[in-house]
Amino acid sequence: MAVWNISALVACVVVLALVLPSHAQNSPQDYLNAHNAARSAIVGANIPALLYDTTLEADVQLYLSTLLGVCNINVDLSLNGINVKVKENVLTGLDAVNAWVSEQIFYDYNTNLCVGGVCNHYTQVVWKSSVSIGCFRTQCLNNVNLWIVGCKYSPPGNIIGQRPY
């Protein structure tokens, strides 16, 4: 019978942790929780909670697969109805949603404009008529230190001339 010493056991656990993918902060429920927390934080807007849609997840996965060789942290790869975040090192789904929600400080409800920064990712997160999302996260091919997260919303928001809520 083999006897393991503590340092060998710790080394095995560390290696397994590095090899096995982590789903912490990247599950459908994590995306929903972060989105729905931002939506419910807008007092008096009565924004309904989003539902998760695996068809939208497949759609955004397909879109992100076209970007994996050209990921760039300096370029916004979002489209109407799709929020995208690229970041160096590890980017979780929760990190991406939190980054989009942090744009709230630039949104002026009275003028319905972004003032002093980008806010269209935030307005998509809280767009009242969007009822479902699908999200996907993966590593970029052009740089192993870059990660990309995308969420697709249905129906899409950010309709010119309309307020998000």
Side-chain angles (χ1 to χ4, degrees), residues 2-3 18 57-58 91 108 119-120 122 142 152:
V3 176
L18 293 174
E57 178 183 332
L91 172 67
D108 181 342
C119 71
N120 59 310
Y122 165 72
N142 64 320
K152 184 171 183 179

Side-chain angles (χ1 to χ4, degrees), residues 52-68:
Y52 199 83
D53 185 325
T54 55
T55 301
L56 294 174
E57 178 183 332
D59 289 349
V60 77
Q61 180 179 2
L62 182 62
Y63 175 63
L64 293 184
S65 71
T66 67
L67 305 174
L68 295 182

Side-chain angles (χ1 to χ4, degrees), residues 6-8 23 46 67 103 135 139 150:
I6 294 294
S7 60
H23 297 289
N46 296 320
L67 305 174
E103 295 176 1
C135 302
Q139 205 164 9

